[in-house]
Amino acid sequence: MVEMKEVYLDNGATTMVDPLVVKAMQPLFSEIYGNASSLHHQGEAAKHKLNEAREAIAKAINAKFDELIFTSGGTESDNLAILGVASAHDKSLKDHIITSKIEHPAVLNTCKYLESLGYSVTYLDVDTEGFIDLDQLENSITDRTLLVSIIHGNNEIGTIQDVEAIGKICKKHGVLFHMDAVQSFTKTSIDVKKIDVDLISMSSHKIHGPKGVGALFVRKGTKIASVFKGGGHEFKLRPGTENVPGIVGFAKAVSLASSSHIKQMSKLRDKLIRSVLDEIPNTKLNGPKGDRRLCNNVNISFASLEGEALGAYLDIEGICTSTGSACSSQTLEPSHVLLSIGVSHEIANGTLRMTLSRFTKEEDIDYTIDALKRYVEKLRKMSPINTIIKKL
Ligand SMILES: Cc1ncc(COP(=O)(O)O)c(C=O)c1O
């Protein structure tokens, strides 16, 4: 039997765990398995591994050891940042939050929850490439504003916001700034000494680490309370026995990321974008080009077809892609991100996201371009709306 080729272009949803990460985690299951809070030698050994990992990840963003809180992933980090800051402040004085229309559901739904508790939330508009308007941000801040929460690298269309400028505005007005860096961490540099940011969400499984581990950077002095009730773990901010194997794997994944991978992914990303736009008619890139786009993100709308059908055909060829974010593709609703940048419902439904990793090879991209050309043509021929191929 001929083995089917596997081309994984859904790294925005999750990534393959790097074999070196698996190797680094292995001893933490049955050799060093103590509870990091225990005082005996097993506990001490686990604590040592936990401390090493915390030091390494904090260093990757130029933060201090005790500014990094381990969580169960990006969703929990986003929840802890927003709910933790809200509950630590007096709601009768500070009850306004600013976010954008293109956030991940982990932020959007947390903000909606706060609205149900009586907070007011401003959802900033974005332009056709997904950038927020800095003037609109500044004009939205009032003396009741507590927090600004903005996604750093967008998970669907790859837009990288100008977080230096956002941070400056927040600092000028004495407002806290949280950025969701789940997609951007290790894919663009983040230095907390250069960005006026108070809270940063990160997740391990997007960067070739294990699932179920994440971190929240909390700048020293930030007023924040824990959301879960329990013991005093993680500087009293996140109770629960630490997932030491996962955390060690997360730190190993961070250590394996490098700027040469960013260059390599950007090159293949641009080849894929260029080839599709040049060789397949009536296609349109969503999100910006160049350095202001995540190095691994391609998001293209194909007129007169259904993205779900295209994805299913590509899957037959062994190519994994997605029609939106993994979280929203179950609902079959057009993506809120695409609608926010002005894409019509119909065109949003003909959209495919392809997200690369450092394991993506040039031959994978060539193989995908070839399959795309064939299946886009086939689907357009089959489509009842093909008689009026929409020009993009
Ligand atoms: C931008 C963004 N934020 C948050 C999350 C949630 O992260 P996790 O899957 O680790 O809970 C994701 C995952 O898709 C994401 O892309």
Side-chain angles (χ1 to χ4, degrees):
M1 208 177 91
V2 188
E3 208 177 297
M4 192 171 78
K5 191 169 169 67
E6 161 109 9
V7 174
Y8 186 76
L9 294 179
D10 199 15
N11 291 282
T14 196
T15 57
M16 179 190 92
V17 180
D18 190 307
L20 293 172
V21 169
V22 176
K23 200 167 163 218
M25 290 172 70
Q26 215 98 54
L28 281 303
F29 290 105
S30 41
E31 286 169 46
I32 305 169
Y33 51 82
N35 185 320
S37 300
S38 299
L39 297 179
H40 46 64
H41 72 276
Q42 265 292 348
E44 283 286 313
K47 183 88 182 171
H48 178 69
K49 287 287 185 185
L50 178 64
N51 286 347
E52 264 183 2
R54 195 188 308 278
E55 187 81 54
I57 300 176
K59 211 168 148 204
I61 55 168
N62 214 1
K64 297 187 191 85
F65 174 84
D66 54 357
E67 291 179 315
L68 201 88
I69 310 301
F70 286 114
T71 66
S72 66
T75 300
E76 189 190 326
S77 296
D78 286 342
N79 273 264
L80 175 56
I82 299 166
L83 299 178
V85 160
S87 72
H89 288 78
D90 182 350
K91 183 167 166 277
S92 69
L93 300 172
K94 299 277 179 190
D95 60 357
H96 177 229
I97 288 162
I98 300 173
T99 187
S100 83
K101 288 186 176 162
I102 61 162
E103 299 298 312
H104 186 273
V107 166
L108 277 183
N109 289 334
T110 305
C111 287
K112 287 208 183 101
Y113 169 68
L114 283 181
E115 276 184 295
S116 78
L117 299 184
Y119 286 80
S120 77
V121 179
T122 301
Y123 298 90
L124 298 175
D125 299 319
V126 290
D127 66 18
T128 53
E129 290 187 327
F131 292 103
I132 64 159
D133 176 343
L134 295 173
D135 289 333
Q136 193 194 13
L137 166 65
E138 186 152 20
N139 293 334
S140 302
I141 296 175
T142 72
D143 56 2
R144 302 193 68 87
T145 309
L146 171 64
L147 175 74
V148 170
S149 179
I150 301 288
I151 189 165
H152 187 202
N154 187 269
N155 49 306
E156 293 191 40
I157 57 170
T159 312
I160 299 178
Q161 302 290 340
D162 184 351
V163 287
E164 284 84 0
I166 296 171
K168 276 200 185 92
I169 293 170
C170 293
K171 190 167 183 187
K172 178 174 150 196
H173 293 276
V175 173
L176 293 172
F177 174 33
H178 164 242
M179 71 184 208
D180 177 338
V182 166
Q183 295 287 341
S184 58
F185 180 44
T186 75
K187 295 193 194 78
T188 182
S189 88
I190 297 174
D191 182 338
V192 300
K193 298 230 164 73
K194 293 190 181 146
I195 310 169
D196 292 316
V197 61
D198 302 287
L199 303 132
I200 306 176
S201 299
M202 292 161 269
S203 179
S204 153
H205 74 102
K206 309 286 187 185
I207 62 162
H208 305 290
K211 292 167 183 60
V213 197
L216 181 68
F217 160 76
V218 181
R219 192 178 292 279
K220 235 190 180 96
T222 306
K223 236 173 106 182
I224 180 167
S226 73
V227 171
F228 299 154
K229 309 300 163 209
H233 310 79
E234 296 299 298
F235 311 105
K236 301 203 173 93
L237 258 186
R238 201 276 186 174
T241 302
E242 294 89 349
N243 170 6
V244 182
I247 290 166
V248 166
F250 185 16
K252 183 69 185 178
V254 172
S255 79
L256 293 170
S258 86
S259 55
S260 67
H261 296 143
I262 298 178
K263 268 200 202 123
Q264 178 193 321
M265 285 186 269
S266 306
K267 198 171 141 244
L268 293 180
R269 171 200 67 184
D270 290 343
K271 176 172 183 174
L272 180 55
I273 292 174
R274 216 178 324 108
S275 304
V276 172
L277 297 186
D278 287 353
E279 295 169 37
I280 306 178
N282 298 313
T283 49
K284 181 183 165 290
L285 176 72
N286 297 308
K289 282 186 176 152
D291 290 347
R292 297 197 306 164
R293 183 180 197 101
L294 284 173
C295 61
N296 71 331
N297 176 289
V298 176
N299 184 304
I300 292 180
S301 293
F302 299 84
S304 310
L305 58 76
E306 287 289 327
E308 300 285 335
L310 182 56
Y313 271 123
L314 293 173
D315 193 23
I316 294 170
E317 301 275 336
I319 306 167
C320 300
T321 59
S322 100
T323 46
S325 68
C327 318
S328 57
S329 57
Q330 280 152 9
T331 67
L332 293 182
E333 281 289 307
S335 136
H336 68 287
V337 175
L338 293 175
L339 298 183
S340 299
I341 62 168
V343 174
S344 69
H345 274 237
E346 190 193 331
I347 298 301
N349 283 330
T351 299
L352 206 65
R353 181 186 76 166
M354 295 168 276
T355 39
L356 288 60
S357 82
R358 64 168 180 263
F359 295 104
T360 308
K361 299 188 191 69
E362 184 150 16
E363 68 195 55
D364 298 335
I365 298 299
D366 293 339
Y367 180 79
T368 303
I369 294 164
D370 176 68
L372 276 170
K373 282 199 260 187
R374 283 185 286 116
Y375 288 117
V376 169
E377 197 183 341
K378 185 181 169 101
L379 279 165
R380 281 180 175 163
K381 275 196 184 131
M382 282 160 52
S383 164
I385 48 171
N386 182 47
T387 38
I388 15 166
I389 285 206
K390 288 265 159 41
K391 287 260 186 296
L392 281 176

